[in-house]
Amino acid sequence: MTEELSMEPLNWTVRNGSMPVMPGSSRDFKEHLKAVLSSVKRDVFNDPQTSMRDTSGKTRPLSWYANQLAPAGLLKRQPDLGIQLTPFALAWLETDSPEILARVFHRHNRYIGELMSHLADGPRTIVQLTALANTDFRLGWKSNDPVRRRVSWLTNLGFLYDAGDLRHGLTESGMELLKSLSVAEPALLWPEQSASEQVELSRPGPEVAGLLDALRSDDSEHDRRGHVVSYIPTSSGMTAVDSLKLLTSAAIPEINVENFDALCTQQFGIKSSSAKSALTTMRTLGLYRAAGRNRFTASPAAQEWLDGGDDTALIRIAHYHVRFVGELLRHVDSLKRAPNLHELAASEYGVEAANSSTTSRLMQLLYATGMIHDVAYAQYETTPLGRLLREELPLATPKSERERAAILSGLAPSEVVSDLDSLVAELREASVDSANPTRFEKSIVAAFESLGVSARHLGGAGRTDVLVDLGVGAVSSGRAIVDGKSAGSGIVTEKAISFQALREHRKKHAAKYAAVVAPSFQEGRLHEWAHEEDVALISIDQLVTVLQRQLVTPLAPSEVALLFKPSDGWANLVDLWDGYDRTNELTRLVVASLVREAKEDDPLLGSSLDTRSIYRELRDHIHPRPSEEELQGVLSFLSAPFVRLVEAGKTGYTLLESPATAAYRLRSLSRVLESTTE
């Protein structure tokens, strides 16, 4: 089997930055790994929730081990068989060869052979290796843990030894292994770009050019662009672009939902629910269009992309269909990171996405097509090709520029977004101002107050920092104690959190929930401890996401309470936002259908549409297709007395006025509500 397997390292861009950890002492990592893999090998079906006992006697679900070992190429998830061994894991179990396991790690994980190459000239400390990893390979590690894990594994396998004075060196077998490894070279990963380098941008084909011309000729076309790229499946060694090519090719001439699910299961090892998300992505990106009931074909522009073989076409197609593609190229040089770009996408371009995942997926596509390159860990800038494309694409106008134009026209812009921007900036700055913890605590109070719940600052020795009441008056979803932990490094470690103190504060205030808010948290057992203590660890990125979403899809106090549930609260919040996004999109499609019908002014049929007609018109523009209950809910809202946009009649629903008039009416109601104090 080992002769048939390729042990060559994957492309650096798809190798994983993490490193698996096993419970117990690092000296036992190899034996513990062998026990886990042998157990998985014995069973035909391995339920992810199956409990496994580690060397300390503690039980963990098999899914925990899968999370550790799948990125290292040793375990995989299969919809029908649960968690299974990869061919690499089988090869190691058959031979028990340290060299094979080291090669598997080097193939799938960054900085394995590269770490060994840094020891070729002599022993170094873990601190020195971390500095070299960040300098040479732009890994951006803020602690020594990632290097410590790698050193532990390589020592356990016999390729490193303890050289004394906290230094680690290569053993003879380590030196021999290093000679045979293909090690990444920084100069090749990030070649210096010459200012005089000549780059040419390909001309778009007629189908793609037509899409871009539509954006140039009508600014309202930008409003039709989608918000969310939900999921792009990949498998080992494949980029996101590779996956999209494969799925697009499969739809020529066409593919049905059943065969699409089967293809995704076979190629990517994902479940049917994930395949549905992938199908939604193909349609959102404009690569698929409906060919009939549950049947799809590659769009003409997508076929033109495949025929031409130039991936620039993919970005042009995605830009037409999805917000903040070309616009991302406009801002990435200054903002660099996905979370920062996501904030801008939401505030300046109206992107309604629950978190930065969509922005990250768009950056994956731009990276894989050579439009951006990384300048440090998780930080990116445009390439010469990306800058050329940025100049070509018709971009949406940022909100701030539109507001400046409105001011010149005598219209006053809303101050809500600027207030939120100030709060977000203060949260981020205060979270790393470790010399002034009170500043961070007060910013947390302001954040929760802006979410419509009561928050009080207490602070001081022996007291909780913030007390949050999740409700209005007698209607309450409970009380939460919140501790703010600022950190100059941007990462709060396990030593900084006292779960005993949190228990005492919780009891003192009869609080249902407990949480710690911090810039970010150390990976590993801190999260396990928090889960056991029923304490939510809320990062600044998460809190900022909730604040930004509150302007788009506000949460009730009972929904804000999900933020304090450590097990599945965040996942439930994301599901809520996805549901709200779907309702908003469905409402937009229904109104657009009624507007088009009103403009037709058909003398025979009139200008009304019944529910079935509306369904037929929009069913292929939203996935999954809407239910009758969903459509009826939207139509009931639009015909409600305080909206009065449509009227229900015997022949269906008729548009009564311009959507802009109904929008003004709702804004008027909004001002009344905003002026009313509780």
Side-chain angles (χ1 to χ4, degrees):
M1 174 175 287
T2 54
E3 288 105 4
E4 299 171 2
L5 285 176
S6 171
M7 291 291 184
E8 282 301 303
L10 299 174
N11 185 289
W12 183 265
T13 61
V14 296
R15 284 156 72 181
N16 202 279
S18 64
M19 191 69 187
V21 62
M22 292 285 102
S25 169
S26 60
R27 293 188 298 272
D28 301 324
F29 274 8
K30 186 178 74 169
E31 294 307 314
H32 197 114
L33 174 63
K34 187 184 298 183
V36 171
L37 298 182
S38 297
S39 176
V40 173
K41 182 181 179 182
R42 281 194 298 270
D43 296 323
V44 175
F45 176 82
N46 292 283
D47 189 329
Q49 300 309 313
T50 299
S51 293
M52 301 190 70
R53 191 176 301 277
D54 62 33
T55 52
S56 66
K58 183 177 180 179
T59 59
R60 300 169 188 266
L62 182 55
S63 59
W64 185 90
Y65 289 96
N67 291 337
Q68 293 290 327
L69 300 174
L74 294 169
L75 288 179
K76 60 184 177 181
R77 294 176 172 87
Q78 291 187 296
D80 298 329
L81 298 174
I83 293 170
Q84 296 291 315
L85 300 185
T86 65
F88 299 100
L90 287 168
W92 177 61
L93 283 180
E94 288 176 0
T95 61
D96 196 25
S97 165
E99 180 180 334
I100 286 180
L101 186 56
R103 287 182 179 278
V104 172
F105 285 153
H106 179 59
R107 173 181 167 82
H108 294 91
N109 301 86
R110 296 179 180 180
Y111 202 61
I112 301 296
E114 294 75 20
L115 182 153
M116 298 174 70
S117 70
H118 277 152
L119 297 176
D121 295 330
R124 299 181 189 270
T125 67
I126 287 177
V127 173
Q128 291 170 332
L129 288 168
T130 300
L132 286 168
N134 289 335
T135 302
D136 289 358
F137 294 100
R138 304 180 183 182
L139 290 169
W141 288 332
K142 296 179 180 178
S143 76
N144 297 320
D145 283 348
V147 170
R148 185 174 289 111
R149 287 188 187 183
R150 285 160 171 77
V151 167
S152 295
W153 274 108
L154 290 171
T155 301
N156 199 230
L157 294 174
F159 299 117
L160 300 187
Y161 72 98
D162 185 345
D165 297 327
L166 302 178
R167 298 177 306 148
H168 303 269
L170 286 174
T171 62
E172 288 187 14
S173 59
M175 287 186 270
E176 287 300 315
L177 174 62
L178 178 59
K179 292 176 183 177
S180 64
L181 292 179
S182 177
V183 176
E185 297 181 32
L188 297 179
L189 291 176
W190 299 281
E192 292 294 327
Q193 293 178 336
S194 169
S196 61
E197 182 180 1
Q198 295 296 313
V199 178
E200 291 188 7
L201 189 66
S202 63
R203 295 175 62 86
E207 291 290 343
V208 175
L211 299 179
L212 300 183
D213 287 343
L215 280 179
R216 291 190 187 96
S217 61
D218 185 356
D219 280 346
S220 66
E221 284 291 312
H222 287 290
D223 296 333
R224 300 176 183 274
R225 295 163 72 189
H227 294 263
V228 179
V229 177
S230 56
Y231 176 60
I232 301 176
T234 57
S235 60
S236 181
M238 293 182 72
T239 67
V241 173
D242 294 332
S243 298
L244 295 179
K245 282 182 179 177
L246 184 149
L247 295 174
T248 303
S249 298
I252 299 174
E254 66 176 46
I255 190 170
N256 61 33
V257 171
E258 183 180 353
N259 289 337
F260 184 89
D261 284 1
L263 174 63
C264 287
T265 299
Q266 177 185 5
Q267 185 66 41
F268 307 111
I270 60 177
K271 295 181 179 179
S272 179
S273 57
S274 297
K276 288 180 180 177
S277 295
L279 179 58
T280 299
T281 294
M282 297 301 291
R283 302 188 69 187
T284 301
L285 289 173
L287 302 178
Y288 276 14
R289 68 177 186 180
R293 181 175 177 81
N294 292 326
R295 294 184 292 115
F296 302 92
T297 185
S299 67
Q303 293 190 49
E304 188 174 83
W305 163 46
L306 293 185
D307 293 342
D310 180 9
D311 291 338
T312 305
L314 170 63
I315 303 303
R316 289 168 169 144
I317 297 168
H319 175 72
Y320 174 79
H321 288 93
V322 180
R323 300 179 188 219
F324 205 63
V325 177
E327 293 78 9
L328 192 153
L329 294 172
R330 180 182 185 181
H331 299 285
V332 68
D333 288 343
S334 58
L335 297 180
K336 290 182 172 55
R337 295 179 181 274
N340 301 337
L341 287 159
H342 166 67
E343 290 178 21
L344 183 86
S347 62
E348 289 286 341
Y349 295 96
V351 173
E352 298 174 5
N355 51 46
S356 61
S357 297
T358 287
T359 302
S360 296
R361 293 184 186 106
L362 296 179
M363 293 177 78
Q364 287 176 16
L365 294 179
L366 292 169
Y367 185 90
T369 52
M371 302 300 163
I372 61 175
H373 66 108
D374 47 352
V375 294
Y377 175 70
Q379 298 184 50
Y380 299 86
E381 290 181 358
T382 52
T383 62
L385 184 63
R387 291 190 285 275
L388 285 176
L389 183 62
R390 178 180 66 196
E391 296 305 314
E392 177 207 79
L393 294 175
L395 305 180
T397 304
K399 181 179 180 181
S400 57
E401 292 184 17
R402 296 198 306 272
E403 288 184 341
R404 281 194 291 272
I407 291 172
L408 294 174
S409 302
L411 301 175
S414 170
E415 297 179 356
V416 175
V417 172
S418 61
D419 289 345
L420 176 61
D421 289 344
S422 299
L423 175 56
V424 167
E426 175 61 13
L427 271 171
R428 292 199 183 280
E429 292 174 13
S431 71
V432 293
D433 184 7
S434 54
N436 188 3
T438 301
R439 177 190 178 190
F440 186 38
E441 294 161 9
K442 290 183 177 179
S443 71
I444 293 171
V445 171
F448 281 105
E449 285 180 339
S450 73
L451 294 176
V453 297
S454 172
R456 284 184 289 155
H457 179 233
L458 300 179
R463 306 177 74 185
T464 191
D465 295 333
V466 178
L467 197 61
V468 177
D469 285 301
L470 299 155
V472 178
V475 180
S476 176
S477 296
R479 169 175 286 183
I481 56 128
V482 180
D483 266 18
K485 295 294 181 184
S486 55
S489 66
I491 301 176
V492 167
T493 66
E494 58 191 44
K495 295 179 181 178
I497 298 177
S498 169
F499 289 102
Q500 175 63 34
L502 290 170
R503 284 194 295 270
E504 292 173 359
H505 295 162
R506 196 177 206 163
K507 182 177 180 181
K508 177 180 179 181
H509 294 285
K512 183 177 181 180
Y513 304 108
V516 179
V517 178
S520 65
F521 297 91
Q522 178 183 356
E523 293 296 330
R525 56 186 182 177
L526 173 58
H527 292 266
E528 297 174 26
W529 292 344
H531 189 273
E532 292 169 357
E533 294 283 347
D534 197 28
V535 173
L537 301 181
I538 304 172
S539 70
I540 286 299
D541 282 346
Q542 288 178 314
L543 188 54
V544 165
T545 296
V546 177
L547 289 169
Q548 292 171 334
R549 286 296 312 217
Q550 197 72 355
L551 290 181
V552 182
T553 45
L555 300 173
S558 60
E559 295 169 328
V560 174
L562 292 172
L563 192 59
F564 294 96
K565 296 183 178 180
S567 57
D568 56 0
W570 185 255
N572 288 335
L573 266 179
V574 172
D575 287 344
L576 264 179
W577 287 324
D578 287 346
Y580 291 146
D581 289 342
R582 176 177 170 81
T583 300
N584 288 342
E585 178 65 8
L586 186 58
T587 302
R588 185 188 70 80
L589 290 170
V590 169
V591 172
S593 297
L594 292 169
V595 168
R596 284 193 295 272
E597 187 65 21
K599 289 180 178 179
E600 286 291 333
D601 194 22
D602 191 296
L604 179 62
L605 300 176
S607 57
S608 65
L609 289 174
D610 60 16
T611 307
R612 286 181 175 273
S613 298
I614 295 173
Y615 172 80
R616 276 195 296 269
E617 187 161 342
L618 58 80
R619 63 187 175 186
D620 291 329
H621 296 280
I622 188 168
H623 187 80
R625 293 179 173 183
S627 65
E628 184 176 355
E629 184 180 8
E630 281 183 293
L631 275 178
Q632 199 58 56
V634 169
L635 290 165
S636 296
F637 168 75
L638 295 174
S639 58
F642 56 85
V643 181
R644 301 200 303 276
L645 178 61
V646 304
E647 181 180 55
K650 292 181 179 179
T651 58
Y653 292 86
T654 306
L655 193 73
L656 293 178
E657 59 191 12
S658 163
T661 302
Y664 288 133
R665 184 176 296 113
L666 290 173
R667 289 194 192 103
S668 175
L669 176 61
S670 171
R671 287 192 291 271
V672 170
L673 294 176
E674 287 174 352
S675 66
T676 304
T677 57
E678 294 177 3

